[in-house]
Amino acid sequence: MSHNETPGSVRIRTDDGNEWRFASIQKAARFYDCNRSNAVAFACEDVDQLVSAARRVLERDDLTREQRQEIAEALSTRAVSFDVETEVSVTTKGEM
C-alpha cells in the first residue's frame, strides 16, 4: 500500500465477543507507555522481530531438545505457538 492509499483511521472491533481486544490494547499502551494507537503499531512491528528472534534461539545447536521444548512452551502465546521437531535424515553409500 503506497503512502497515498493509507487510510486516515483504522477501526478495531471490540464488540460482539471481541472485548478482549480492547483490554489487550490497553495493556499494550501501559507497557509501551503511550497512547492506544501507537501501542497497536508498536506491537505489530515488534511481533515480527520477536518471532524471528525466538526462531533463531530455538534453532541453536547448543540447546538440547528438552531445552528447546521448554523455551517453545514459554514463548508460545494465544496467537503464536512454537513447535520443536526433530528431523532425521538417512544417507546411503550410493548417495555419497
Side-chain angles (χ1 to χ4, degrees), residues 14-80:
T14 57
D15 61 352
D16 297 330
N18 294 312
E19 294 83 2
W20 64 271
R21 292 177 177 174
F22 186 72
S24 293
I25 293 167
Q26 291 285 80
K27 215 180 336 182
R30 284 191 300 274
F31 176 81
Y32 289 111
D33 191 25
C34 63
N35 64 44
R36 293 188 297 259
S37 295
N38 282 340
V40 170
F42 292 155
C44 290
E45 287 185 359
D46 285 352
V47 70
D48 185 53
Q49 292 178 7
L50 292 169
V51 169
S52 293
R55 180 175 282 137
R56 285 192 306 274
V57 168
L58 291 170
E59 290 173 346
R60 286 177 30 184
D61 291 335
D62 62 331
L63 298 173
T64 67
R65 179 175 167 79
E66 290 77 21
Q67 289 170 322
R68 286 185 182 126
Q69 288 174 325
E70 287 176 19
I71 293 167
E73 185 178 315
L75 296 177
S76 292
T77 65
R78 169 196 278 244
V80 178

